[in-house]
Amino acid sequence: MRVTTVFNRILGLPGASVCSVELSTDGLVLGLRRRRGRRYRCECGDSTRARYDLSRRRWRHLDFGSTKVWMEADIARITCPACGIRTETVPWARPGARHTRDFQDVIGWLAQRMDKTSVARLLRCSWEAVDRAVRMLVADHLPTDRLDGLYRIGVDEISYKRGHHYLTIVCDHDTGRVVWVAKDRTRKAFEDFFTALGPDRSEQLAAITMDGSPIYMPVAADNAPQATVCLDPFHVIKWANEALDKARQANPAVPPTPATPAKRSGPATVAQVNAPAKAWRRLKTALRSGAENLTDERRALINALRRHNYQLFRAWTLKEQLRDLYRIPPEQARRYLRRWITRAIRSKIPAMQQLATRLTKYFHQTVAAVELGLSNSRAEGINSKIRVIQRRGYGHPGPDSLTAMIYLCLGGITLNLPTQT
Ligand SMILES: [Zn+2]
């Protein structure tokens, strides 16, 4: 069998055949021949027989073992009736790409699972090539019907670049997907979402969760007055944890240690000097974890708190009781929250009293979230996934990169590997 035939069988490219195989210093270069007298296709979908000129171009393809593979073909500039002078599109690569579709699909599949720097290293391409491929894949694969059938949505802001910049994110609570990402946390960012949604689809919205932000609330009232505004459970629990942190700082008694090691004479060791700081950190972690996730050691710490620092124990109990709001039968929510607020005010813990005041202000929105079955898990899921993307990105260079990654990982994009058929 001829070597070109072997490659034709392996690659199976539509509309092109391998006519030469050359092993150069760059790697394996496969020369491609296109069908004579074909119509040249434009990116817009139009096609023409008239070409302007020809030039040779190379596309990086998936490696054969440790050898880099390139595809080389003549590509025409055409005069498209609609767009003017453009470069023709080829079946094996996306318009403007310098990597084949297969190569970019592998990039995208990996970028959904690992950081871009590792993807670039594994595939031996630049970080920029990974970034570009992610954007092209999102443009290609983001579901166009993602704004259809929205019923319960959530709007939230996320910060990047150490909290100096923000993105507005709209998610679908029923599918757990991100459906809209906009720059900044402004009224306009959220208004643009409603403009894209249009009046008909806006009317279908039953609930919008948010963090009680004065930016998004009026926009929701203007554009979807029928939708119930709910306080995002994720934020309520976040506030409770912050209040608990404040209560801990206001109670600077030495944290209890369940098992105190026997004191030894002589100069203090580094471990002994650092012990209080370490104990504080352990306590902070224990206070933050949910009661159901406490390890034996942490549970012992909380139990010790009950004896040594009752006020802080009380604050922890209030936090846990507030978490239960999202687990009880919805019809009990109103009464449960009212009683919780009374307890928090009577606790005489300033941070918890402040939280109670805040929840009194947003009483109806908080209860509405429970009554409409918007549990915490999904919103928290999206939030923590975004945090993972941000951490993996080591500081995304700009909003566009981050936006593309959020859509790639959370926008409902399914990518198949070239090896999957
Ligand atoms: Zn065109």
Side-chain angles (χ1 to χ4, degrees):
M1 199 187 278
R2 274 165 50 187
V3 69
T4 49
T5 315
V6 172
F7 278 108
N8 272 321
R9 293 258 175 97
I10 292 173
L11 295 171
L13 290 174
S17 55
V18 178
C19 63
S20 69
V21 179
E22 193 194 327
L23 199 55
S24 75
T25 47
D26 297 338
L28 191 67
V29 183
L30 305 173
L32 301 182
R33 192 171 40 214
R34 315 284 301 280
R35 201 161 39 77
R36 242 181 251 282
R38 69 182 189 278
R39 291 186 73 90
Y40 303 101
R41 304 203 78 82
C42 173
E43 201 181 322
C44 69
D46 248 342
S47 67
T48 170
R49 273 188 204 287
R51 76 169 187 229
Y52 192 70
D53 61 5
L54 275 178
S55 60
R56 187 147 290 188
R57 187 181 280 186
R58 267 186 191 184
W59 294 263
R60 174 86 186 277
H61 189 52
L62 294 164
D63 298 351
F64 286 170
S66 60
T67 308
K68 285 185 183 175
V69 178
W70 305 85
M71 292 191 187
E72 198 175 65
D74 285 333
I75 183 167
R77 275 200 300 168
I78 54 171
T79 315
C80 168
C83 323
I85 294 176
R86 285 283 185 276
T87 307
E88 68 164 321
T89 62
V90 292
W92 57 84
R94 294 186 171 86
R98 292 305 172 110
H99 295 81
T100 61
R101 273 177 186 276
D102 284 357
F103 196 98
Q104 289 193 323
D105 289 350
V106 172
I107 288 181
W109 191 90
L110 288 169
Q112 284 178 327
R113 291 156 177 87
M114 63 205 268
D115 67 280
K116 285 182 187 168
T117 310
S118 303
V119 177
R121 179 136 182 239
L122 177 67
L123 297 178
R124 294 187 290 172
C125 62
S126 65
W127 189 95
E128 287 73 19
V130 176
D131 188 57
R132 231 175 1 252
V134 167
R135 290 183 208 201
M136 284 187 184
L137 283 160
V138 168
D140 231 18
H141 290 273
L142 194 63
T144 46
D145 62 353
R146 66 189 196 281
L147 296 182
D148 291 348
L150 291 181
Y151 178 58
R152 302 183 296 180
I153 60 164
V155 59
D156 201 1
E157 62 190 34
I158 59 150
S159 67
Y160 64 100
K161 295 219 165 158
R162 297 194 178 134
H164 292 301
H165 298 275
Y166 290 88
L167 293 180
T168 294
I169 306 236
V170 180
C171 69
D172 178 352
H173 282 301
D174 294 294
T175 59
R177 287 177 184 169
V178 168
V179 294
W180 186 262
V181 183
K183 277 178 218 174
D184 297 325
R185 49 164 175 180
T186 53
R187 282 187 68 125
K188 191 183 171 299
F190 196 28
E191 271 163 2
D192 286 350
F193 163 74
F194 281 106
T195 310
L197 197 62
D200 290 346
R201 290 187 292 194
S202 299
E203 265 177 36
Q204 303 300 315
L205 293 174
I208 306 175
T209 64
M210 58 184 76
D211 66 346
S213 121
I215 303 165
Y216 301 135
M217 226 172 231
V219 181
D222 285 352
N223 292 282
Q226 82 292 344
T228 311
V229 170
C230 308
L231 203 56
D232 207 327
F234 170 75
H235 285 283
V236 176
I237 302 303
K238 197 171 140 204
W239 291 345
N241 273 314
E242 283 164 6
L244 185 58
D245 261 356
K246 269 194 214 157
R248 183 177 54 82
Q249 283 155 8
N251 271 286
V254 176
T257 40
T260 322
K263 270 190 185 159
R264 275 181 298 172
S265 55
T269 62
V270 176
Q272 275 168 351
V273 170
N274 288 339
K278 228 176 168 180
W280 268 121
R281 266 202 306 279
R282 266 211 306 268
L283 179 63
K284 191 176 166 182
T285 321
L287 289 170
R288 284 222 157 201
S289 4
E292 70 283 4
N293 301 324
L294 283 175
T295 57
D296 289 346
E297 191 202 352
R298 286 176 187 164
R299 183 164 290 284
L301 216 54
I302 299 286
N303 285 340
L305 210 56
R306 184 181 209 149
R307 293 189 298 275
H308 298 286
N309 195 337
Y310 187 73
Q311 183 130 8
L312 196 49
F313 175 74
R314 187 90 200 270
W316 178 81
T317 314
L318 281 167
K319 187 259 294 187
E320 285 302 315
Q321 285 168 346
L322 190 58
R323 290 180 71 228
D324 285 338
L325 174 68
Y326 300 104
R327 296 179 191 138
I328 58 166
E331 63 276 10
Q332 296 173 14
R334 201 165 283 273
R335 212 166 127 225
Y336 186 92
L337 183 61
R338 208 169 281 137
R339 285 161 104 188
W340 185 91
I341 288 172
T342 313
R343 270 200 302 272
I345 288 171
R346 284 190 191 151
S347 72
K348 304 224 173 69
I349 304 167
M352 285 295 160
Q353 288 174 324
Q354 278 164 18
L355 179 60
T357 314
R358 207 170 186 181
L359 290 179
T360 308
K361 185 179 166 194
Y362 294 118
F363 187 85
H364 296 293
Q365 289 92 329
T366 311
V367 171
V370 185
E371 287 175 347
L372 286 164
L374 294 161
S375 79
N376 197 24
S377 54
R378 199 145 244 175
E380 165 110 70
I382 290 178
N383 255 288
S384 56
K385 278 178 197 158
I386 291 176
R387 274 201 299 273
V388 170
I389 294 168
Q390 282 178 297
R391 219 173 299 139
R392 254 180 8 199
Y394 307 115
H396 286 270
D400 298 332
S401 271
L402 183 56
T403 301
M405 276 308 289
I406 291 171
Y407 275 138
L408 182 76
C409 300
L410 298 167
I413 293 177
T414 317
L415 293 172
N416 285 329
L417 285 170
T419 44
Q420 288 173 324
T421 45

